[in-house]
Amino acid sequence: MKITDIKVRSFSHMSRQNNDSDGHSHPCDPRQVRQSMLTIVTDDGTEGHCFAPSEVVRPHLINGFARDVLLGEDPYDREKLWQGLAHWQRGGNGQLSDRTLAVVELALWDLTGRKLGILVYKLIGAYRNKVLAYGSTMCGDEVFGGLSSPEDYARYAEVLVKRGYKAIKLHTWMKPVSFAPDPRMDVKACAAVRVAVGADFPLMLDAYHGYSRSKALWLGLELQKLGYTWFEEMMNEASMSSYVWLAENLTMPIIGPETADGKFHTCAEWIKSGACDITRTGVRDIGGIGPSMKIIHLAGASGMNCEVHGSGPGNLTLCAAQKNGTWVERGLLHPFIEYDEVPEYLNAQADAMDADGYVHMPQIPGLGDDINFDYIDNNLV
Ligand code: MG
């Protein structure tokens, strides 16, 4: 079997989210947005698919790099093909991101699963068929009744508990919110949510991402008193020594790295240096399922959990193939958005959650996306 083509279909669909000036998503009136689907085709007609933001699979990247590495090759040779793309990142003038690597690699996994009639998490080696989800909120805003105050967060936490969530992660206020960032406001929101959900309910905080060491330490000491489960990306992850310092000064678990460059190499340095107590990977952050499994195994070999960042079938696949992790991230959530609505380009939600807070693995060969091909072909842009 040889790869004969790589196609990108761009299509429009309805969205109720918009990004602020710093890239954080918030609710908005319904609007048409553009999305793409990358498809890898083989000489026997098998196809593998992966959705992506259009800029991640723009023609220059697919024609200039992906076709060069993949065409004529065996789609089962994922490690060879991934290494070929990763090598291009050095010589490609910084154009080829880990996100593009991830989309290509996920489409190769999807193709393999569809060809063999098996779910990818079973192909890797499944550990579980359902995963507990944590509800991951959007960043705070200044819209009354949204996520504009500690009371808003507390009310929404009660809604999420009723929906079935068995853990909640707050993203608090970040710029351009007028009063952000402010660790005192973070603590007020975290404390209000703790009161709302009770003493034993698992809670996490993903804070501003750019606090100084002293502000991060003050915030962490308050979170310890509130019994939070982990403390995430409160400082710039490029400064690993800041995380080593913070981990030495807190008893509560620090999780990371999530956005630092360097794939599994960076993660190995964090584990070795004691910069984190729980490590992190996500298919979009470090280039796919293969490199993520290296991190999951590295963490396991180091006696450490690895919690998966982000939603979607690729990340859910990781969660189902690991023992050393508890949750799948579900979101981002907001009181004004109905997250359980199925997007127009799918026939079923990829991470549907039951009333007990479990996301069950889909049962469609490949990564598990139930794709509405007719919708996509009728809404091409
Ligand atoms: Mg995060």
Side-chain angles (χ1 to χ4, degrees):
M1 192 167 51
K2 301 277 183 228
I3 298 170
T4 53
D5 199 7
I6 307 171
K7 299 186 289 197
V8 175
R9 272 173 275 190
S10 293
F11 59 96
S12 68
H13 68 95
M14 194 70 84
S15 170
R16 287 181 42 77
Q17 293 182 38
N18 211 346
N19 282 351
D20 65 27
S21 58
D22 281 30
H24 310 121
S25 56
H26 299 284
C28 68
D29 290 333
R31 65 188 188 111
Q32 289 290 320
V33 296
R34 187 175 164 151
Q35 153 105 314
S36 291
M37 182 174 73
L38 179 122
T39 300
I40 297 175
V41 187
T42 59
D43 52 3
D44 69 350
T46 308
E47 296 189 342
H49 312 280
C50 182
F51 292 105
S54 297
E55 60 271 22
V56 170
V57 290
R58 60 188 185 273
H60 176 64
L61 298 176
I62 301 309
N63 298 333
F65 303 110
R67 283 177 167 270
D68 186 56
V69 173
L70 268 69
L71 289 189
E73 297 289 335
D74 184 337
Y76 292 166
D77 294 349
R78 278 181 309 274
E79 182 69 9
K80 175 187 169 189
L81 300 177
W82 186 89
Q83 294 289 355
L85 282 173
H87 186 72
W88 259 118
Q89 288 183 292
R90 188 177 182 283
N93 292 320
Q95 300 170 86
L96 191 57
S97 70
D98 288 347
R99 299 209 166 217
T100 304
L101 262 62
V103 173
V104 172
E105 201 251 17
L106 289 167
L108 287 171
W109 278 108
D110 190 55
L111 187 152
T112 301
R114 286 171 188 268
K115 172 71 182 173
L116 301 177
I118 186 171
L119 278 139
V120 172
Y121 83 105
K122 292 282 189 185
L123 191 60
I124 296 171
Y127 178 72
R128 47 189 171 176
N129 296 319
K130 60 177 184 177
V131 188
L132 270 179
Y134 69 83
S136 190
T137 76
M138 285 185 173
C139 293
D141 50 47
E142 295 181 89
V143 182
F144 180 73
L147 295 171
S148 70
S149 65
E151 295 73 29
D152 276 350
Y153 275 93
R155 265 193 302 273
Y156 191 44
E158 288 170 355
V159 171
L160 297 180
V161 171
K162 278 203 190 92
R163 171 64 184 86
Y165 286 100
K166 296 293 183 281
I168 296 171
K169 188 174 86 184
L170 287 73
H171 290 90
T172 40
W173 297 278
M174 307 190 196
K175 289 175 177 170
V177 168
S178 60
F179 55 84
D182 183 348
R184 291 167 304 178
M185 283 298 291
D186 297 336
V187 170
K188 282 180 184 167
C190 290
V193 170
R194 171 55 76 209
V195 170
V197 300
D200 297 327
F201 192 91
L203 292 171
M204 306 82 150
L205 174 66
D206 188 342
Y208 164 59
H209 309 153
Y211 281 133
S212 64
R213 289 189 186 194
S214 55
K215 284 183 174 170
L217 177 58
W218 182 84
L219 179 51
L221 291 170
E222 295 298 315
L223 291 180
Q224 279 180 187
K225 292 183 212 161
L226 292 168
Y228 269 56
T229 298
W230 79 56
F231 190 16
E232 176 175 329
E233 209 181 344
M234 70 308 289
M235 301 181 289
N236 190 314
E237 289 183 345
S239 177
M240 185 183 71
S241 56
S242 294
Y243 278 80
V244 173
W245 176 85
L246 188 66
E248 282 171 357
N249 282 290
L250 291 175
T251 54
M252 76 170 302
I254 305 281
I255 192 170
E258 178 175 301
T259 56
D261 289 338
K263 307 184 180 75
F264 37 80
H265 305 290
T266 299
C267 202
E269 294 297 326
W270 276 53
I271 292 173
K272 181 182 161 217
S273 306
C276 57
D277 305 287
I278 306 166
T279 192
R280 197 109 170 107
T281 190
V283 291
R284 291 187 289 265
D285 305 314
I286 62 143
I289 287 176
S292 289
M293 289 309 297
K294 290 179 186 179
I295 289 179
I296 287 170
H297 293 157
L298 181 65
S302 309
M304 202 178 266
N305 270 14
C306 176
E307 296 293 345
V308 173
H309 167 228
S311 52
N315 286 317
L316 185 58
T317 296
L318 297 180
C319 294
Q322 71 172 149
K323 178 178 180 243
N324 58 325
T326 306
W327 311 100
V328 63
E329 183 165 10
R330 199 160 187 266
L332 299 172
L333 310 176
H334 189 281
F336 298 163
I337 289 182
E338 183 44 74
Y339 184 81
D340 290 319
E341 224 166 67
V342 180
E344 295 156 299
Y345 54 89
L346 296 177
N347 296 315
Q349 204 177 21
D351 62 347
M353 187 181 83
D354 69 18
D356 295 321
Y358 280 100
V359 172
H360 295 255
M361 294 307 292
Q363 294 304 316
I364 292 176
L367 284 172
D369 258 335
D370 188 350
I371 300 170
N372 186 339
F373 292 100
D374 287 340
Y375 177 86
I376 291 170
D377 288 335
N378 290 330
N379 289 276
L380 295 175
V381 291

